[in-house]
Amino acid sequence: MGGYCPTLIQEVNKLMSEQPDTNPQFPAPVETSQPEFLPLAPTPTPAAPMLTRPVTRIKPDRLGMFLGVFRWVFFLLMAFIAGIFFTIFMQTRTLEGTPLEIVQKPILDWSGIPADAHKQWLALQQAFTLVDQNFYEQDKISHKDMIYAAAEAAVASLGDRFTAFNRPQVAQANDDHITGKFVGLGVTPEIKEGKYVVKRVIPNSPIEKAGIKEGDVLVAINGTRLPTPITDPVAVSTQLRGEVNTKVKVTFARPSDNNKETEYELTRQELIAPSVDTQMLDNNIGYIDMRQVFGSNTMNEFDQKVGALVKNNNPAGFILDLRGNGGGLTDTARQLLGRFLDGGVAYYDDIPTQNVHMRPEDVLTNPDLKIYDKPLVVLTDGGTASASEITVGALHDRKRATIIGEKTYGKGVAQYVIDLLDKSALRVTFESWYTPNKTNMTESKGITPDIVVTPTDQQKQLGQDPQLDRAIQYLTTNS
């Protein structure tokens, strides 16, 4: 087992050489110079021929694939349709006290239907349907007006006089009031004793060019007398507005001239109501008129006009007139305060839905315009409200200004204005606000001036302004 036997190898080679060469694949042994005791190399085995099978191409079953996809699509479509009918069933049936009530509630919530008043919701729809079926004057049915009236009544039921649903016409008028841009005649009205009275005249407007003055009373439009008292001032203002270059006839009465009536034919034009006017008064007093609401462009106007007044005249003191200013943007109030106060709290706010309680809102300063050290008087009246009261409250509580005039309106809440799908809008009260001394305007019913001055009817008719006169006197004499 330890090696190969040479004799055995020789015998094997001899036998192989004696066999006939019948297969050329097996040649005779070749003599080599290698030692005889080396092992024989293995003999290669011929490769067996490969057996091949014919290839058959399998065509895809296109019809089967189509039917499979169709079945899935059909199944999904049927499930979708079934879901629609199931949702409609859940929305239009009262299922209180049944096992399906658990399933119904999230469907109603997702659909925007109040689950806690589902029956009443269905009753409202039922009322609309019954009106359509039974009301005897079918041509008077307006589903749009019915829905608007329902929305107005629903919001009014909250009992908050500042939360309201505004139809598109009213919503647009409110937007114009904030931006200051509109097409009309140029009158800012107020309702006094049920009458539509000119409160302000916009400079360079058709109203001013016609000679109509503050205190004049609008009594007719295009020959139609206005009702007395005025119950819908927005509707009246809407008649005065319209397309550019269209004409309208208006009749005004002048109380200072025995209510003499005069008719004017005016052409509507595009106007921008200025929210800031300035002028220099006697004794080097700067007068800042901000009797328009705080809008998106108010502070640009303020910085431009008041900045020029300060640069060119260096007034010894200022009168800030906020009479009739119904509010506007609260951020504008914070910016306005930042021109007179070097930082600090503007007001505190309470927002229950955001878990905000007495959060301080600071003034927003402007490094380019600082009026921190000049005497300041603020004029107010019953029309000074909301954001303008924020201004008055901060200047009063922080001892920065003397307040002269009449008690302010008393609106210590703010509203979100949310545009809806058809350009109507929802004004919803979301916060209460407090002065730096933590006084709420609604609860206190307004800010009482440091010096109360109430104009008489005779003074108004004569165009006198005792409140402004008293402010000038105070800045001049400091008393």
Side-chain angles (χ1 to χ4, degrees):
M1 297 298 290
Y4 294 97
C5 178
T7 303
L8 179 59
I9 295 173
Q10 291 174 358
E11 288 297 327
V12 172
N13 286 337
K14 181 179 179 182
L15 289 172
M16 291 182 67
S17 64
E18 293 176 354
Q19 298 296 323
D21 188 10
T22 58
N23 191 339
Q25 291 186 3
F26 295 91
V30 178
E31 295 290 338
T32 68
S33 60
Q34 297 293 332
E36 292 181 348
F37 56 84
L38 291 175
L40 291 173
T43 304
T45 303
M50 295 183 62
L51 298 177
T52 60
R53 298 168 64 182
V55 177
T56 302
R57 296 184 179 275
I58 301 175
K59 295 182 178 180
D61 186 0
R62 298 184 184 277
L63 178 60
M65 293 174 60
F66 173 78
L67 291 176
V69 172
F70 177 79
R71 281 193 293 268
W72 273 107
V73 172
F74 181 78
F75 172 78
L76 293 175
L77 180 60
M78 289 299 101
F80 178 72
I81 293 174
I84 291 176
F85 280 103
F86 182 72
T87 301
I88 293 174
F89 174 80
M90 287 293 180
Q91 292 175 342
T92 57
R93 298 292 186 277
T94 56
L95 301 173
E96 295 179 11
T98 69
L100 288 176
E101 183 180 5
I102 299 175
V103 180
Q104 185 184 45
K105 187 178 185 307
I107 293 176
L108 294 177
D109 291 340
W110 176 80
S111 303
I113 299 173
D116 60 343
H118 188 212
K119 284 185 179 179
Q120 291 72 25
W121 183 271
L122 295 178
L124 177 63
Q125 294 178 334
Q126 187 179 20
F128 273 55
T129 301
L130 291 172
V131 167
D132 284 346
Q133 293 173 353
N134 297 290
F135 188 64
Y136 76 109
E137 291 184 300
Q138 290 282 306
D139 58 325
K140 291 186 177 180
I141 296 176
S142 169
H143 293 141
K144 182 189 294 185
D145 288 340
M146 291 170 66
I147 292 172
Y148 281 156
E152 290 167 344
V155 175
S157 71
L158 299 173
D160 177 32
R161 55 182 170 159
F162 304 116
T163 297
F165 172 83
N166 296 150
R167 301 188 186 202
Q169 196 175 24
V170 178
Q172 183 60 53
N174 289 334
D175 285 346
D176 291 343
H177 204 42
I178 292 295
T179 61
K181 296 180 181 180
F182 66 99
V183 175
L185 302 180
V187 56
T188 300
E190 64 179 337
I191 304 301
K192 283 187 175 182
E193 298 178 353
K195 298 177 181 179
Y196 193 93
V197 181
V198 177
K199 177 183 177 182
R200 290 196 67 194
V201 174
I202 294 176
N204 300 315
S205 66
I207 286 285
E208 184 188 58
K209 294 173 183 176
I212 298 166
K213 300 179 180 180
E214 294 182 9
D216 288 354
V217 179
L218 179 65
V219 296
I221 300 176
N222 289 325
T224 301
R225 305 289 295 188
L226 298 183
T228 304
I230 299 293
T231 57
D232 190 355
V234 174
V236 177
S237 295
T238 300
Q239 293 183 65
L240 299 180
R241 299 186 180 190
E243 300 296 325
V244 176
N245 294 327
T246 57
K247 295 183 181 298
V248 60
K249 291 182 179 180
V250 290
T251 303
F252 283 89
R254 181 158 294 170
S256 60
D257 191 13
N258 296 319
N259 289 316
K260 178 182 177 181
E261 295 186 3
T262 306
E263 184 180 68
Y264 308 85
E265 184 177 59
L266 305 179
T267 301
R268 299 181 180 95
Q269 67 182 61
E270 188 172 43
L271 299 167
I272 299 178
S275 53
V276 181
D277 283 321
T278 60
Q279 68 179 95
M280 288 299 299
L281 304 178
D282 293 339
N283 302 315
N284 198 32
I285 295 172
Y287 174 71
I288 306 170
D289 185 349
M290 297 187 72
R291 287 182 282 177
Q292 292 284 350
V293 297
F294 296 158
S296 53
N297 194 49
T298 295
M299 291 316 299
N300 288 333
E301 284 189 61
F302 185 94
D303 291 342
Q304 179 183 1
K305 295 179 180 179
V306 177
L309 195 74
V310 171
K311 181 179 179 180
N312 297 331
N313 300 280
N314 189 27
F318 290 89
I319 297 172
L320 177 62
D321 194 342
L322 295 178
R323 291 175 295 179
N325 187 315
L329 304 177
T330 55
D331 277 353
T332 299
R334 294 168 64 194
Q335 292 172 344
L336 176 60
L337 286 168
R339 305 312 188 258
F340 297 103
L341 293 168
D342 187 10
V345 174
Y347 65 97
Y348 295 93
D349 56 9
D350 249 2
I351 310 176
T353 56
Q354 300 178 21
N355 294 320
V356 171
H357 178 63
M358 297 305 286
R359 178 179 64 188
E361 300 288 353
D362 291 341
V363 305
L364 301 175
T365 59
N366 178 10
D368 297 328
L369 184 58
K370 302 176 182 179
I371 313 174
Y372 300 156
D373 57 351
K374 297 293 181 72
L376 176 65
V377 169
V378 180
L379 297 180
T380 64
D381 64 7
T384 306
S386 195
S388 63
E389 283 181 290
I390 288 177
T391 305
V392 177
L395 294 173
H396 178 266
D397 285 2
R398 297 181 59 180
K399 311 298 183 184
R400 175 62 185 90
T402 299
I403 315 302
I404 295 178
E406 299 167 89
K407 192 172 185 178
T408 63
Y409 181 85
K411 182 175 180 285
V413 291
Q415 290 73 41
Y416 286 135
V417 180
I418 305 168
D419 294 328
L420 304 179
L421 294 176
D422 62 343
K423 296 185 179 180
S424 58
L426 177 67
R427 300 174 62 88
V428 56
T429 300
F430 73 98
E431 75 167 354
S432 301
W433 63 264
Y434 300 78
T435 70
N437 286 349
K438 300 186 178 180
T439 300
N440 180 260
M441 288 299 95
T442 304
E443 296 171 357
S444 65
K445 299 181 180 180
I447 300 171
T448 300
D450 300 305
I451 301 173
V452 176
V453 178
T454 304
T456 65
D457 290 339
Q458 183 179 8
Q459 288 173 324
K460 292 178 182 178
Q461 290 180 358
L462 295 175
Q464 298 175 351
D465 192 344
Q467 294 169 338
L468 179 59
D469 294 340
R470 184 67 179 88
I472 295 172
Q473 177 189 349
Y474 180 87
L475 289 175
T476 304
T477 64
N478 197 28
S479 62

